[in-house]
Amino acid sequence: MEKADNTIPSREELAAYIEESAVSVTNTYEQSPVVLMVDDAIIGTLGNFSASIGKAKSKKTFNVSAIVASALSGNTVLHYRSMFPKNKRKILYIDTEQGQHHCQQVLKRILRLAELPDDEKPDNLLMLSLRKFAPKIRLSIVEEAIGTIPDLGLVIIDGIRDFLYDINSSSESTDIISKFMQWTDDRQIHIHTVLHQNKNDEHARGHIGTELNNKAETIMQVEVDKEDKNISVVEAVHIRDREFEPFAFRINEEVLPEPVESYLPKEKKIGRPTKEPFDPYKEIPESVHRAALVTAFANGNIGSYDEYLERLKEGYGLQNVKLGHNKAVKVSTFLSNKRMVIKEGKGYAFNPEYHY
């Protein structure tokens, strides 16, 4: 029986699980081998998973191509270094969004970055395009591949969102992350996955983004530089090891990512800090959001957007949170992204079962 399914184990199975999971003070346990680094910072070990997040067109797939090329060649690519054991050199690359033609272009790019022929089948890299399959079938295919490919060390999943029917489903998200933890532990591999950020803030999308933030070894953000749109910047937003210095890359004439050696990380300003834009997630506690919404929707659903904004101003005002028009608009967008409020036709309904 799988450890991550929903079947209730027998008492015998539970006893076996307890024995298997017990930690002894006298046993010797090996530290997870380091397999991926950025410069001298550890971003990936066997038995764990990591993620890249970023908005659309931030060049996340170019960044992941560099990670794979480093793992494939053993060389430093961009700032990525890899050191997979000899029995962990196989790489599985899963693409859930693009068709086979686009995936082939990504595959050729990886081979060129790894300084390998791009017209010969690589020995240690298998790429699968799963765009045409339903989420459950995609998951089954990946599970079968992970369970049967010998000497597997690295799995890329670009992107995790397509394993779910509902990106805001807590149960689906928990199931997927539980699978990641099971696969990485049982096979002693590293998984690196990709997820979009919300359009209106820096948070990874949906409940699956929350689960990734809670469980991943490293979360890296890929972001277009605000001063030069031809440059993408990579930085750690969550890392168990010490943080690495943000680095930048651009796409060269050969359509390959190359480092921007002249890039300097933005220095923090000395003196009085600049006030950051209003963020309903950071500045308003969840309990206040809920209390305000209970008040705003005390008389049921709200029929129009203008009325909805006015009711939000009243509800949050009673919680000592003053909202002008612009802040009310930001709050309404946040509530929609979190599915705390759901649009029904032209009206709006409070969803008290939301997952924050």
Side-chain angles (χ1 to χ4, degrees):
M1 187 191 73
E2 295 184 6
K3 301 181 184 70
D5 68 17
N6 295 318
T7 307
I8 298 176
S10 66
R11 295 190 66 182
E12 291 77 10
E13 288 169 328
L14 288 172
Y17 290 164
I18 292 171
E19 183 176 358
E20 179 184 351
S21 305
V23 178
S24 169
V25 72
T26 57
N27 286 355
T28 301
Y29 300 102
E30 293 184 5
Q31 187 174 357
S32 300
V34 175
V35 291
L36 289 174
M37 302 183 74
V38 171
D39 298 328
D40 295 321
I42 298 168
I43 63 168
T45 59
L46 295 182
N48 283 296
F49 59 92
S50 57
S52 295
I53 62 173
K55 294 185 178 1
K57 310 301 182 184
S58 60
K59 300 183 177 63
K60 296 184 295 297
T61 300
F62 280 91
N63 181 62
V64 169
S65 296
I67 295 174
V68 178
S70 176
L72 192 61
S73 65
N75 300 327
T76 298
V77 181
L78 291 184
H79 286 251
Y80 295 109
R81 300 166 52 208
S82 63
M83 52 283 297
F84 285 85
K86 289 184 178 179
N87 64 338
K88 294 288 182 181
R89 296 287 174 83
K90 292 286 179 69
I91 303 167
L92 173 64
Y93 193 122
I94 303 295
D95 191 297
T96 63
E97 297 181 349
Q98 307 297 333
Q100 290 183 323
H101 173 73
H102 177 86
C103 288
Q104 184 186 60
Q105 302 307 308
V106 175
L107 178 58
K108 287 177 176 288
R109 178 198 307 148
I110 291 169
L111 294 174
R112 293 200 300 274
L113 283 170
E115 299 180 351
L116 295 172
D118 67 357
D119 57 355
E120 297 178 12
K121 182 179 179 181
D123 293 332
N124 290 334
L125 173 59
L126 173 64
M127 175 174 280
L128 300 179
S129 170
L130 303 185
R131 178 180 178 176
K132 67 181 180 180
F133 298 102
K136 282 187 178 180
I137 303 299
R138 291 188 189 115
L139 189 65
S140 296
I141 292 171
V142 174
E143 186 159 45
E144 178 68 14
I146 288 175
T148 57
I149 294 175
D151 300 329
L152 187 63
L154 176 64
V155 177
I156 302 293
I157 298 179
D158 185 4
I160 190 174
R161 185 266 175 271
D162 295 310
F163 286 141
L164 300 95
Y165 290 91
D166 180 1
I167 195 171
N168 288 301
S169 168
S170 59
S171 59
E172 282 192 89
S173 300
T174 300
D175 286 346
I176 296 300
I177 297 302
S178 295
K179 284 289 186 185
F180 275 33
M181 291 191 290
Q182 179 190 349
W183 294 338
T184 52
D185 190 66
D186 286 352
R187 290 299 313 274
Q188 281 301 292
I189 59 177
H190 187 83
I191 295 177
H192 185 84
T193 191
V194 179
L195 181 65
H196 290 297
Q197 285 176 302
N198 291 326
K199 292 180 180 179
N200 300 310
D201 57 41
E202 301 301 314
H203 304 301
R205 287 186 63 201
H207 197 85
I208 189 67
T210 302
E211 286 294 301
L212 272 177
N213 282 328
N214 290 338
K215 301 289 172 46
E217 182 174 31
T218 304
I219 302 285
M220 296 186 295
Q221 176 180 272
V222 185
E223 182 180 32
V224 175
D225 186 75
K226 293 177 175 61
E227 298 175 4
D228 186 344
K229 301 302 181 184
N230 295 314
I231 292 176
S232 291
V233 180
V234 182
E235 63 179 329
V237 294
H238 164 75
I239 187 168
R240 293 181 188 172
D241 194 51
R242 61 191 179 87
E243 289 191 15
F244 57 83
E245 283 290 319
F247 66 90
F249 67 89
R250 63 164 58 91
I251 309 305
N252 64 20
E253 294 178 356
E254 298 178 355
V255 199
L256 296 176
E258 65 178 15
V260 179
E261 301 296 354
S262 60
Y263 174 79
L264 294 175
K266 301 296 184 293
E267 294 183 5
K268 294 181 179 179
K269 294 181 180 180
I270 300 175
R272 189 173 182 178
T274 304
K275 186 175 181 180
E276 294 185 357
F278 172 64
D279 185 340
Y281 181 79
K282 293 180 180 178
E283 298 183 30
I284 304 176
E286 186 271 339
S287 58
V288 173
H289 282 299
R290 180 178 285 275
L293 289 174
V294 168
T295 301
F297 287 89
N299 295 323
N301 293 358
I302 300 173
S304 71
Y305 184 65
D306 288 342
E307 182 187 359
Y308 173 43
L309 292 184
E310 290 304 314
R311 297 274 283 278
L312 287 180
K313 293 177 186 178
E314 294 173 8
Y316 281 86
L318 292 173
Q319 300 299 318
N320 296 317
V321 178
K322 185 177 180 180
L323 298 181
H325 177 78
N326 291 340
K327 285 189 175 182
V329 170
K330 281 196 172 184
V331 167
S332 70
T333 301
F334 166 78
L335 297 173
S336 176
N337 288 339
K338 282 289 189 180
R339 292 187 63 80
M340 299 166 78
V341 174
I342 301 172
K343 199 167 188 308
E344 293 186 349
K346 295 182 179 180
Y348 298 83
F350 175 41
N351 172 26
E353 303 301 321
Y354 65 81
H355 296 280
Y356 196 73

